[in-house]
Amino acid sequence: MRRDIFQAIADPTRRAIIVLIALQAMTPNALAEHFQTSRQAVSKHIKILTECELVKQQISGREIYYSLEIDKMKEVDQWMEQFRKIWETRFNQLEDLLKTMK
């Protein structure tokens, strides 16, 4: 089952996992050390991230390392772009108004 990427990033723990594995590939045990939760709970979060293809796994011996599929984050960036343009336009309008008020 492929999950929606926005469902995955809606959870603060999953966002924190994304930040951690963006820096380096990590095992579930290594990830669990960063949270006050069980390894099983972290594994459930990793499963959701994997289902939406934000995370890829690499097997090394008996360990599974998870890393961020950075290209997948482009979906979020593309969706946010429409709002970025609105914000920039409004900030520019505000800047112009403030300049005329001086």
Side-chain angles (χ1 to χ4, degrees):
M1 173 181 159
R2 185 182 184 278
R3 292 183 185 255
D4 182 71
I5 193 169
F6 296 99
Q7 178 186 11
I9 64 172
D11 183 274
T13 301
R14 289 193 287 271
R15 288 193 306 267
I17 290 171
I18 289 169
V19 169
L20 288 168
I21 64 174
L23 299 173
Q24 69 179 24
M26 299 178 80
T27 65
N29 287 333
L31 285 165
E33 291 175 6
H34 291 85
F35 302 96
Q36 293 181 341
T37 186
S38 67
R39 183 201 177 282
Q40 290 79 13
V42 169
S43 290
K44 287 181 182 181
H45 286 296
I46 292 171
K47 180 181 178 192
I48 291 170
L49 292 169
T50 302
E51 288 172 354
C52 72
E53 301 173 352
L54 263 173
V55 169
K56 61 183 174 184
Q57 55 180 296
Q58 180 180 1
I59 299 173
S60 178
R62 297 187 316 171
E63 296 287 343
I64 299 174
Y65 288 85
Y66 292 92
S67 59
L68 183 62
E69 191 66 67
I70 196 74
D71 287 340
K72 193 66 177 171
M73 291 298 290
K74 288 180 183 176
E75 280 185 40
V76 176
D77 184 52
Q78 289 169 350
W79 186 78
M80 290 294 298
E81 182 62 28
Q82 62 188 329
F83 299 104
R84 191 175 297 116
K85 289 177 182 176
I86 293 168
W87 298 329
E88 287 174 0
T89 299
R90 290 190 178 166
F91 282 129
N92 289 337
Q93 290 171 344
L94 178 60
E95 183 179 20
D96 292 344
L97 176 64
L98 292 172
K99 283 180 182 177
T100 60
M101 290 177 70
K102 282 186 179 181

